[in-house]
Amino acid sequence: MPHRADFPAIEVTVFPAACRAYVVLLFVAMATTATAASADSRPSPAASLAPCTLPGVAHPARCGSIEVPENPDKPDGRQLSLNIVVLPARNGHALPDPVAFLSGGPGQAATSDPAHLSTILAGINEERDLLLLDQRGTGKSAPLRCPLVDAADTAPNLRDIFPPAAIKRCIKALSATADLTQYSLRHFARDLETVRVALGYESLNLYGFSYGTRAAQVYLRTYPKTSRTAYLGSMAPIDADVLLEFPDAAEQTLVRTFDACAADAACHAAFPALRQEFATLLERLDSGSVVVTAAGTNTKVTLSRGRFAERLRSMLYTPESAVSVPWVLHQAHEGNWQPLADGMLDFARSMDAQASMGLFFSITCNEDVAFLREADIRARATPRQFGDFRIRSQQAACALWPRYRVPDGYRKPIQTDVPTMLVSAELDPATPASLAARAAPGYTRHVEVLLRGQGHSGWTDCIGERYAQLLRQGTVEGISRECPATPWPAFQLKAEEAPADGKG
């Protein structure tokens, strides 16, 4: 979701501005039933929706569920109840092609913040439904909760992003009630098509951010005839090893953050030697001399450079959180590492509260990490400032997680003529604009837009207008590639000014 926190990795678009970038709208007519039938010859299940009221949403909504088999090859086996929320067109005469928001993570629930979507898509919602379908394994759709923080012992979270003991606990607990090999993006695309058919929509306008763009690509490939348009924000191409992008993308975003501080009179006056202080911090971390205390305990933990780098990268996901980076680094340079250590734990807790990390592992372990090559890791991650800690941590977790195989050719680049907007952000430490540029040739009818001054899953009024134009005309013709740059927010200069966190 725009300006939410995604777990990159891929990333988690967390909610709200406090964790806005490091954690859907999923939207049948007789004419389209044949398309769904080609994927499933069984009768389509019925969706049961009823009027409901949503916090922060002024207009009436419809809420309900639909049941689908956990394993499509075993239709009489365990059933999943998928949570659906529809924000009906406000004019009372909905067009037949709703907007389908595909949430990021993977692991974020589409229904987490309908008020935000209702606000930024208010004009579009005037004549189109917005459909939010919690992806299987998230929200209220059989969530695969996987707590990574043990309140009684937070020290492991200062050592590891994904503590091995927590991963083992999750696998044991979740496997008692779920087949963790049945939560793929292919199954999710099938679920989305099932919902489209059940609700009577002719086609979908796919609206995805971060890892939600992967879900959009799988749907585009599987159901091209019922995909009217696509919006892919902070794109993660299906053929890309996105984890390998993190080190360089984070380094470039950090450089831009340092440049912005140097150009800001107040920030430069407060932190005149920021680059030198950062270099000193890396030396101290490499020496093993940095020790922090786990919150709520007396446990001392030696902080590694890798764990520090991943926390720093998470803070760079949006400018709103990146503006605290100079202050946090300066505090550490002066010997106060606690703000950074506390931030690590705060973010880990936010992930537990807002994301289904079990789904995150099920998908990323099998659809990303399984395809990483050691030579590429050593060439593109290990030598960089931000290093390969994140990749190695995810590999370690995935070595334990149940596996499934994707079909041959699954990771081939998408080829489609569906009108598509490819929207990237200048300050993105996870999915740089180069990824969208690389994928663009496969989208024969596309427009690329770079949001200057925005971070991961960025959104502005300008891009909202461009998206509304795409929906009105159903083509990318005449859509401008330009949007005004967003100025940097004010930098944090002292403790009480600390902004809400960005991503982790």
Side-chain angles (χ1 to χ4, degrees):
M1 179 178 300
H3 281 290
R4 291 291 183 271
D6 286 310
F7 13 79
I10 299 230
E11 292 305 314
V12 179
T13 296
V14 181
F15 304 84
C19 287
R20 287 193 177 210
Y22 192 94
V23 185
V24 269
L25 287 181
L26 309 173
F27 287 26
V28 181
M30 293 297 290
T32 58
T33 302
T35 301
S38 66
D40 187 352
S41 59
R42 297 179 300 109
S44 297
S48 175
L49 302 184
C52 60
T53 301
L54 302 174
V57 179
H59 302 274
R62 295 184 64 78
C63 305
S65 63
I66 190 170
E67 285 204 348
V68 298
E70 182 186 51
N71 184 344
D73 293 332
K74 298 179 180 180
D76 297 325
R78 181 187 292 127
Q79 301 294 299
L80 304 179
S81 177
L82 304 182
N83 184 46
I84 304 169
V85 171
V86 176
L87 305 182
R90 299 177 187 184
N91 66 6
H93 304 285
L95 294 172
D97 46 36
V99 169
F101 170 68
L102 303 166
S103 195
Q108 293 176 297
T111 62
S112 293
D113 197 353
H116 179 69
L117 286 165
S118 177
T119 299
I120 67 170
L121 299 180
I124 291 168
N125 192 204
E126 189 63 27
E127 60 182 7
R128 281 187 169 83
D129 289 355
L130 308 181
L131 170 65
L132 292 73
L133 169 64
D134 283 344
Q135 182 175 350
R136 57 167 59 201
T138 73
K140 296 180 181 179
S141 294
L144 300 177
R145 295 291 183 187
C146 175
L148 298 181
V149 180
D150 180 349
D153 182 13
T154 58
N157 301 93
L158 297 179
R159 300 187 186 98
D160 297 295
I161 313 168
F162 310 123
I167 301 300
K168 292 176 182 177
R169 289 195 301 269
C170 287
I171 294 171
K172 182 178 180 179
L174 292 174
S175 295
T177 58
D179 180 350
L180 297 178
T181 69
Q182 298 300 318
Y183 290 79
S184 67
L185 287 179
R186 288 196 309 131
H187 287 353
F188 175 47
R190 185 189 186 104
D191 293 342
L192 177 54
E193 178 66 359
T194 297
V195 169
R196 181 194 69 78
V197 172
L199 297 183
Y201 293 128
E202 287 185 4
S203 59
L204 306 180
N205 295 290
L206 303 170
Y207 178 64
F209 289 83
S210 190
Y211 213 86
T213 66
R214 279 280 182 89
Q217 292 166 76
V218 175
Y219 187 91
L220 278 168
R221 173 178 280 164
T222 311
Y223 305 103
K225 293 183 178 180
T226 53
S227 302
R228 179 175 179 265
T229 67
Y231 178 105
L232 306 181
S234 292
M235 185 183 188
I238 198 166
D239 61 311
D241 293 321
V242 180
L243 282 167
L244 294 178
E245 302 290 335
F246 288 1
D248 183 67
E251 191 172 324
Q252 295 303 317
T253 304
L254 182 63
V255 168
R256 291 189 174 101
T257 302
F258 285 169
D259 289 345
C261 178
D264 180 273
C267 189
H268 180 65
F271 315 113
L274 189 56
R275 283 181 169 84
Q276 295 92 319
E277 291 183 355
F278 178 63
T280 300
L281 293 181
L282 296 182
E283 292 175 359
R284 293 175 185 171
L285 289 159
D286 287 339
S287 73
S289 63
V290 177
V291 177
V292 296
T293 302
T297 73
N298 294 320
T299 305
K300 303 293 183 181
V301 176
T302 298
L303 191 63
S304 70
R305 173 171 173 161
R307 189 65 184 92
F308 162 81
E310 182 59 16
R311 172 55 190 158
L312 179 59
R313 193 182 69 84
S314 76
M315 296 174 69
L316 296 170
Y317 266 72
T318 67
E320 290 80 6
S321 57
V323 292
S324 65
V325 165
W327 180 83
V328 169
L329 294 181
H330 181 68
Q331 287 295 303
H333 182 266
E334 298 303 299
N336 179 17
W337 289 84
Q338 211 57 45
L340 193 140
D342 291 346
M344 291 178 184
L345 296 178
D346 288 343
F347 187 82
R349 293 187 187 103
S350 73
M351 289 300 93
D352 282 355
Q354 301 175 29
S356 292
M357 293 301 291
L359 182 74
F360 171 81
F361 291 118
S362 285
I363 291 179
T364 63
C365 288
N366 294 293
E367 303 192 21
D368 286 284
V369 174
F371 294 90
L372 292 175
R373 297 186 302 179
E374 182 63 26
D376 293 334
I377 297 172
R378 291 182 180 276
R380 298 179 56 190
T382 306
R384 307 305 299 255
Q385 274 189 333
F386 282 78
D388 60 10
F389 180 82
R390 169 57 187 268
I391 294 174
R392 301 305 186 188
S393 298
Q394 210 154 328
Q395 285 181 316
C398 291
L400 303 171
W401 206 263
R403 304 299 297 272
Y404 61 80
R405 290 181 60 85
V406 298
D408 291 343
Y410 178 78
R411 280 171 57 93
K412 287 184 178 179
I414 298 295
Q415 302 290 327
T416 180
D417 61 359
V418 171
T420 301
M421 289 185 68
L422 304 175
V423 182
S424 303
E426 178 185 37
L427 305 172
D428 190 334
T431 53
S434 58
L435 288 179
R438 191 183 84 181
Y443 295 78
T444 57
R445 302 163 65 193
H446 79 273
V447 59
E448 291 180 72
V449 180
L450 177 66
L451 297 181
R452 292 171 292 151
Q454 286 283 316
H456 190 71
S457 296
W459 184 262
T460 66
D461 289 344
C462 173
I463 201 62
E465 293 168 2
R466 303 286 184 269
Y467 182 48
Q469 183 181 351
L470 172 67
L471 294 182
R472 283 195 307 271
Q473 61 193 37
T475 175
V476 297
E477 300 300 325
I479 296 179
S480 174
R481 296 165 52 96
E482 298 298 321
C483 274
T486 301
W488 275 81
F491 280 89
Q492 178 189 354
L493 304 179
K494 49 188 178 181
E496 56 267 29
E497 298 172 345
D501 192 10
K503 258 200 180 209

